[in-house]
Structures are given as C-alpha cells and as structure tokens.
Amino acid sequence: RAAGGTNVYDALAAAFDDDRVDTIYLLTDGDPSVGEITDVPTLREEIVRWNSVRGVRIHCIAVGKDSALLKGIAEDSRGEYVRVD
C-alpha cells in the first residue's frame, strides 16, 4: 500500500521544464498533499498558465476514485481523463 504524499506540482513542473515534452500522462489519486502548491484551484490555474505558452496535452489517470482536479487538467489541456480502480 502506498503511504507517501502526492506532489502534482513538482511532477508537472519537471515535465514542463523539458522543452521536448508535448504530451504528459499523469497517474495519481488526484489529491495533492505535498509540494509547492497543494490548493486545487491554485494548482489548476498554475498549470493553465504554464500551458498557455506550451500547449502540452495532459492525459490524466485517476487511481481509485474520481478527481475533479484531474478532470479539469485534462479538459484544460485537450487531454483524456480516465479512472482506474
């Protein structure tokens, strides 16, 4: 069983730092609990800001439960959202 935190901010920041990245697959429970930004609306706004220049497509896979954050990130970036149990 996983026992660590979910750092969505740093994971996506690292991906956006690589200029070659044009597609991201984000696999998580969707509950940001650690990292520079954990507030869901603020995190989503920051990702939209980064992506306004890059146009990276972000596909989101929610593990174990639905996630409004992941649905929003996928929608904002023209990606797909799926949930797996």
Side-chain angles (χ1 to χ4, degrees):
R1 176 168 195 206
T6 302
N7 191 337
V8 174
Y9 178 87
D10 286 345
L12 290 176
F16 272 89
D17 279 345
D18 185 338
D19 291 337
R20 299 169 297 173
V21 170
D22 63 2
T23 305
I24 296 169
Y25 289 86
L26 179 61
L27 174 73
T28 177
D29 64 6
D31 289 331
S33 58
V34 296
E36 188 171 326
I37 299 175
T38 58
D39 177 68
V40 169
T42 304
L43 180 56
R44 188 170 168 192
E45 288 172 9
E46 184 69 1
I47 296 164
V48 166
R49 187 181 69 76
W50 292 339
N51 218 11
S52 66
V53 175
R54 293 284 301 279
V56 173
R57 188 165 293 192
I58 306 171
H59 302 289
C60 297
I61 302 108
V63 178
K65 60 184 176 179
D66 280 322
S67 168
L69 172 62
L70 297 181
K71 284 180 185 176
I73 291 171
E75 181 180 294
D76 294 340
S77 68
R78 301 170 339 273
E80 297 291 323
Y81 168 84
V82 296
R83 173 188 162 177
V84 296
D85 291 317

